[in-house]
Amino acid sequence: METIVIGHRNPDMDSICSAVAYAELKRRLGEHHVRAARCGALNERITFVLEKFGVAQPDFLPDVTPQVGDFMIRDYVCVAPDRPVGEALELLREHRLRALPVVGTDRRFYGVLSENKLLDLFLPPRDAADHAREVRVSPANVASELGGKKLVGELSTEEQIYTLMVAAMDSDTFAGRLARTVPARTILFVGDRDDVQRAAIAAGVKTIVVTGGAAMADDILALARQEGVAVVASTWDTATSVFLSRGAVVAEHVLESCKVSFDADRPLASARRSAVLSNQFIFPVLDNDGRLDGLLSKSDFLKPVARRLILVDHNELSQAVPGATELPIVEILDHHRLGNTPTETPILFLNQPVGSTCTIVADLYARHGQTPSREIAGLMLAGIISDTLNGTSPTATDTDRRFLGELASLAGISADDLAAEIFAVGSPLRSLSPREVIAADAKIYEERGLKFSVAQIEEVTFSGFDEHQANLRTALRERVEREGLFFAALLLTDIKTQNSYLLAEGNSEFLRAINYPEQAEHVWLLEGVVSRKKQLLPYLTECLAAVR
């Protein structure tokens, strides 16, 4: 079972750092197969912090929806198209399978060898009984399937349609029956009957199987050698020898195509719907070039998902990685409002009124008597600095400020110095496109049945903001139309003055309800407002209540 610790979409510093730090704590406490992940791009400041403390970026998982590739059998049993079906039968029996993929050396998928097709080969239906003796084989493969010993002649490796004939009659009757066949395309099964053996050689039969461990007379062997006849000795009786020889047909002549196949990226739920309507035993998973990546059987669809989630820095499914609803959520660590994420069983849910999820994770290290490494301490320090504006935000608590000091000591850098370095890295307004700016750290909320988006970026100055206003508003309008939102907003915070600009587009009645000083159309100055969670979001929900 794999456990993925992951933050919200459009991850911010606190989301990334808390995921990495908590995954490390879980591993320290003895949990296996725990890894941190992210479902969005990293901004310049997050990248700077990860590089500064020498920590690798979390794995990028844009979607955790269970896919076919998560459940398919990669180490599959198969048979090559040029191998006898007798060999395939042994594999089916050994591995207790109902069907076997036929795969070439380049992993090219040819089809499936199923129980039904093999049954038709070894026990043909009555309406096909007239042709039951005719099989496409090579004499060499027949001898191999019988475990026979070549007595004389050369066994052809060329596949042809051969008639399997049993000499179970007197020589005159045999001669009459042989006349109705093509002797050169007949494989004769006969015991120690010298007259029949001579007659067959004289008639032009080129392959004779002497059954029951019987010997062939020396003079007949000499005649066979002279006429270019291959003679094989089988220890099996005649009936068994004929039956086993049908296993000499190679797989590619008995396979059936698969009407239903999948690619590894297909959502499992979608594949399950297709599989339910199919009578196939197995379903090939193919790449774009028709090569076999793996197999699915119907029973594989019943397997539990071997992956579970721990959500950090959010608890609303609208903000979670796509596919989160299809995996077990086993823990949530957050410091935001409750979003009623449903779970099937009780889980650990830590929701504390602090300024940063990294504060919660740092407290968990302390509770478990664990001292974070310099690298992990540095990440948690950066997460708290970013989410609380280095302890100055209204959301910051004494607990946040206490851990700022403790983590700074472990990381070997003061909180003030690290804050200066972080906020000096890249201006989002200057380094990102307008569409990227309004998506950076954007969160989707749902209130009173209405969905809306609120993004936030921090700058060290409002210088240059005026030149970007129009493009930012256009990007917000486009997002509203594209995603069907009631409104979309951006909070632009100056971390030095502790003031913010609010830009919003959407429902006109809602926009009129915003009563902060309007600096330009749909641009408001919010003095002393720096927290989306504690200051802006409650205000916006009040505006919603006023119009809805």
Side-chain angles (χ1 to χ4, degrees):
M1 177 69 72
E2 179 185 42
T3 303
I4 298 172
V5 185
I6 192 166
H8 50 75
R9 305 182 195 192
N10 308 309
D12 59 6
M13 184 81 74
D14 190 37
S15 174
I16 294 294
C17 294
S18 60
V20 174
Y22 195 51
E24 173 62 21
L25 177 60
K26 300 296 281 186
R27 290 191 292 268
R28 282 198 188 188
L29 296 177
E31 294 196 26
H32 302 290
H33 310 298
V34 180
R35 62 172 171 140
R38 58 187 173 91
C39 57
L42 303 179
N43 62 40
E44 288 183 83
R45 290 172 180 170
I46 299 172
T47 301
F48 164 77
V49 166
L50 291 173
E51 291 177 353
K52 179 178 179 64
F53 292 103
V55 177
Q57 294 185 6
D59 296 333
F60 178 50
L61 287 181
D63 194 320
V64 294
T65 301
Q67 297 178 330
V68 165
D70 299 325
F71 289 78
M72 70 183 184
I73 301 168
R74 298 177 185 273
D75 188 19
Y76 50 80
V77 179
C78 65
V79 65
D82 59 351
R83 299 307 300 165
V85 297
E87 181 179 309
L89 272 170
E90 289 300 318
L91 290 172
L92 287 169
R93 186 179 298 110
E94 177 185 351
H95 297 279
R96 303 176 65 84
L97 302 174
R98 301 182 68 184
L100 200 63
V102 180
V103 183
T105 54
D106 58 351
R107 288 184 22 245
R108 179 189 164 204
F109 179 71
Y110 284 76
V112 166
L113 198 58
S114 70
E115 288 179 333
N116 289 338
K117 294 294 284 187
L118 290 171
L119 184 62
D120 287 344
L121 173 64
F122 286 94
L123 189 63
R126 290 189 177 185
D127 58 5
D130 288 345
H131 301 285
R133 297 181 304 157
E134 298 174 356
V135 292
R136 178 179 287 275
V137 294
S138 72
N141 277 349
V142 169
S144 176
E145 283 300 298
L146 295 175
K149 177 183 178 182
K150 185 182 72 171
L151 300 179
V152 70
E154 294 299 323
L155 290 164
S156 172
T157 58
E158 182 181 358
E159 291 180 349
Q160 299 280 352
I161 300 294
Y162 282 89
T163 299
L164 306 181
M165 179 176 285
V166 175
M169 66 285 292
D170 64 32
S171 57
D172 290 338
T173 304
F174 168 72
R177 291 195 61 187
L178 188 60
R180 295 194 294 272
T181 69
V182 180
R185 294 290 176 264
T186 298
I187 299 177
L188 178 66
F189 296 83
V190 61
D192 53 354
R193 302 187 60 184
D194 294 358
D195 55 344
V196 170
Q197 293 171 3
R198 286 192 178 92
I201 294 171
V205 173
K206 295 302 180 184
T207 307
I208 297 176
V209 179
V210 182
T211 61
M216 179 177 272
D218 290 342
D219 62 323
I220 301 177
L221 281 174
L223 181 60
R225 183 181 294 106
Q226 178 183 322
E227 297 299 326
V229 177
V231 179
V232 176
S234 170
T235 58
W236 305 104
D237 61 42
T238 301
T240 304
S241 295
V242 174
F243 184 80
L244 292 177
S245 67
R246 304 183 78 84
V249 177
V250 298
E252 66 178 322
H253 299 319
V254 191
L255 58 80
E256 57 185 316
S257 62
C258 287
K259 295 181 179 179
V260 180
S261 63
F262 305 120
D263 60 70
D265 295 332
R266 182 164 177 178
L268 189 71
S270 170
R272 184 185 291 113
R273 288 191 292 271
S274 297
V276 165
L277 301 175
S278 172
N279 60 1
Q280 289 177 207
F281 294 129
I282 59 175
F283 302 89
V285 182
L286 307 176
D287 67 12
N288 293 333
D289 297 318
R291 292 189 294 264
L292 187 64
D293 282 338
L295 290 174
L296 275 179
S297 67
K298 286 188 174 179
S299 61
D300 290 324
F301 289 101
L302 302 177
K303 293 178 181 177
V305 180
R307 178 184 283 180
R308 58 187 190 171
L309 297 179
I310 295 176
L311 305 184
V312 295
D313 202 35
H314 69 300
N315 70 82
E316 299 186 47
L317 288 176
S318 61
Q319 300 170 12
V321 57
T325 56
E326 299 186 46
L327 294 181
I329 297 172
V330 295
E331 291 184 37
I332 299 176
L333 307 185
D334 195 20
H335 64 124
H336 297 95
R337 71 174 194 169
L338 298 183
N340 299 320
T341 298
T343 62
E344 294 182 358
T345 59
I347 67 170
L348 173 65
F349 191 149
L350 289 180
N351 189 275
Q352 296 179 237
V354 293
S356 166
T357 303
C358 280
T359 298
I360 299 173
V361 177
D363 186 49
L364 287 172
Y365 269 86
R367 289 191 203 180
H368 288 286
Q370 297 288 323
T371 301
S373 65
R374 172 190 171 275
E375 294 78 13
I376 295 299
L379 293 192
M380 290 191 286
L381 177 62
I384 299 173
I385 287 171
S386 179
D387 248 27
T388 68
L389 299 181
N390 198 21
T392 64
S393 166
T395 61
T397 66
D398 289 341
T399 303
D400 296 299
R401 285 183 278 268
R402 174 166 61 85
F403 279 112
L404 280 175
E406 293 180 8
L407 293 170
S409 177
L410 292 170
I413 184 173
S414 75
D416 290 342
D417 288 346
L418 182 57
E421 291 183 23
I422 291 173
F423 293 123
V425 173
S427 160
L429 274 181
R430 290 178 170 80
S431 62
L432 302 177
S433 68
R435 183 167 177 172
E436 290 171 330
V437 168
I438 67 161
D441 191 23
K443 294 185 178 180
I444 298 292
Y445 300 94
E446 187 166 348
E447 191 78 23
R448 298 176 180 271
L450 302 171
K451 285 188 176 182
F452 57 95
S453 166
V454 182
Q456 182 176 19
I457 60 171
E458 290 95 14
E459 296 281 351
V460 294
T461 175
F462 284 145
S463 174
F465 167 63
D466 290 345
E467 63 187 86
H468 296 285
Q469 277 189 45
N471 290 334
L472 290 171
R473 288 184 52 213
T474 298
L476 288 168
R477 281 196 300 272
E478 290 174 348
R479 180 165 194 178
V480 168
E481 295 170 1
R482 184 171 62 250
E483 300 181 22
L485 302 175
F486 191 66
F487 72 88
L490 169 67
L491 186 68
L492 172 63
T493 300
D494 184 330
I495 61 174
K496 289 186 176 180
T497 65
Q498 300 279 287
N499 296 325
S500 298
Y501 279 118
L502 173 66
L503 294 80
E505 294 291 337
N507 179 272
S508 57
E509 186 179 3
F510 168 78
L511 297 179
R512 286 194 297 270
I514 300 174
N515 57 11
Y516 276 100
E518 193 166 11
Q519 305 299 296
E521 186 179 10
H522 300 171
V523 179
W524 297 265
L525 176 62
L526 282 57
E527 292 186 352
V529 173
V530 295
S531 171
R532 169 177 52 188
K533 174 184 70 175
K534 195 167 184 178
Q535 295 173 296
L536 180 61
L537 189 58
Y539 175 76
L540 293 178
T541 55
E542 286 180 9
C543 294
L544 268 177
V547 300
R548 281 289 186 263

